[in-house]
Amino acid sequence: MDADEPELVLAADGVTHVVRRGDTVRRPVRPFSATVQAFLAHLHARGFDAAPLPLGYDEQSREVLSFVPGDVPVPPLPDWAVSLDALATLARLVRRAHDAADGWEPPADAVWGDLPGGPATRPAPTDGAPPGAPPEPVLVAHQDYCPGNVVFRDHRPAAFIDFDLARPTTRVADAVNALHWWAPLADPVDRSPALADADAAERARVFADAYGMTAEQRALVVPRALWRARRSTARMRAAAEVDPVFRRWWDEGVKDRGPRTERWLTAEAPRIAERLR
């Protein structure tokens, strides 16, 4: 790769600076970069190629990853990004990632990303578990399936990018993260227009069917989603206290969306649970 090849800025928010050079992406090294590179290498070794390939570090000591071609939907989401076919494809992609990750033993010195103001990055941050929930096997997973981190090709999800929040979790907790964004598990007033009238309960069923969730996993979706919603606002508030980007998001509406999500999900929980059975 020619070091003089021009660089195209992909993201520059005052906190991070991500560029594309040829078929690679360059980004600042962070405490968890080596752990994420090891995880991505494992996924590729297990045949999961729907993620960036870790390529080490460049002459400027930046992390280097392969560029993942495709379309990343941005708000307002286009209709093709929220179709039931796209949702089912997403669920199957999440399942493939989980199957590839299953059994991976992170390095003893692993460092994990988290929201600013969150738990220490070593040992791994944890989302906890709903009170009384049965134990679930732990695996490392993406944990941030917002539309900006899902690459589409031919109007279907084809890859995941930005593994900064990857950490030990469970299959159900990670699936709930995907459902939060893509069912979506949110009050209709906070959804993209293309999903404003979506039947979240039916879309949760489509996701669970495509993923191949067991009856036991389906029964955990709603308790896990409620647990996530109840903790999300507190975590975002803590992040806003120490990070200017999160402070801006908080002031622009996150402080209101979190409580709305919790109220909406509490009301809809029985119907979602029934549809998942």
Side-chain angles (χ1 to χ4, degrees):
M1 181 68 62
D2 187 351
D4 294 327
E5 189 165 0
E7 295 184 344
L8 172 67
V9 175
L10 300 178
D13 57 13
V15 177
T16 188
H17 190 79
V18 183
V19 302
R20 177 182 177 183
R21 183 195 291 178
D23 293 329
T24 67
V25 171
R26 316 293 174 104
R27 54 186 303 169
V29 170
R30 281 165 292 182
F32 49 81
S33 296
T35 301
V36 170
Q37 290 239 343
F39 179 51
L40 290 172
H42 169 81
L43 292 180
H44 280 271
R46 289 287 299 271
F48 185 80
D49 59 357
L53 185 67
L55 299 172
Y57 307 93
D58 69 5
E59 70 284 351
Q60 298 181 41
S61 298
R62 296 178 297 186
E63 180 183 16
V64 184
L65 303 160
S66 65
F67 175 76
V68 179
D71 301 309
V72 176
V74 296
L77 298 179
D79 290 342
W80 51 261
V82 302
S83 70
L84 290 181
D85 182 51
L87 181 67
T89 302
L90 176 75
R92 289 189 287 269
L93 197 60
V94 171
R95 174 61 185 265
R96 282 185 54 212
H98 287 176
D99 289 348
D102 200 12
W104 183 57
E105 292 291 339
D109 60 350
V111 177
W112 307 100
D114 193 28
L115 299 182
T121 55
R122 187 190 296 127
T126 176
D127 292 328
E136 300 173 65
V138 173
L139 80 170
V140 176
H142 190 284
Q143 278 287 281
D144 190 15
Y145 297 105
C146 67
N149 290 339
V150 181
V151 178
F152 283 67
R153 300 187 196 114
D154 297 324
H155 293 176
R156 293 181 180 86
F160 301 131
I161 56 176
D162 195 348
F163 281 70
D164 288 1
L165 296 184
R167 60 186 184 269
T169 182
T170 69
R171 287 177 182 257
V172 174
D174 197 55
V176 164
N177 182 281
L179 286 169
H180 169 78
W181 294 103
W182 297 98
L185 301 182
D187 189 296
V189 302
D190 295 316
R191 301 176 185 177
S192 183
L195 286 167
D197 297 324
D199 185 341
E202 172 62 14
R203 288 175 65 85
R205 182 199 64 78
V206 169
F207 185 99
D209 287 351
Y211 181 97
M213 280 189 175
T214 65
E216 291 77 14
Q217 288 171 331
R218 290 167 187 260
L220 289 171
V221 168
V222 168
R224 174 60 76 172
L226 285 166
W227 180 256
R228 181 187 188 279
R230 289 165 184 159
R231 297 184 73 249
S232 178
T233 299
R235 296 183 72 229
M236 290 296 291
R237 182 187 297 112
E241 290 175 354
V242 299
D243 187 287
V245 174
F246 282 85
R247 166 55 64 180
R248 185 178 74 248
W249 294 343
W250 179 263
D251 292 340
E252 289 175 351
V254 168
K255 66 181 184 295
D256 300 316
R257 287 198 297 272
R260 272 199 301 268
T261 292
E262 185 178 344
R263 290 192 296 269
W264 175 87
L265 187 55
T266 298
E268 289 292 310
R271 198 170 76 86
I272 297 171
E274 176 62 31
R275 201 71 187 92
L276 284 169
R277 291 193 182 98

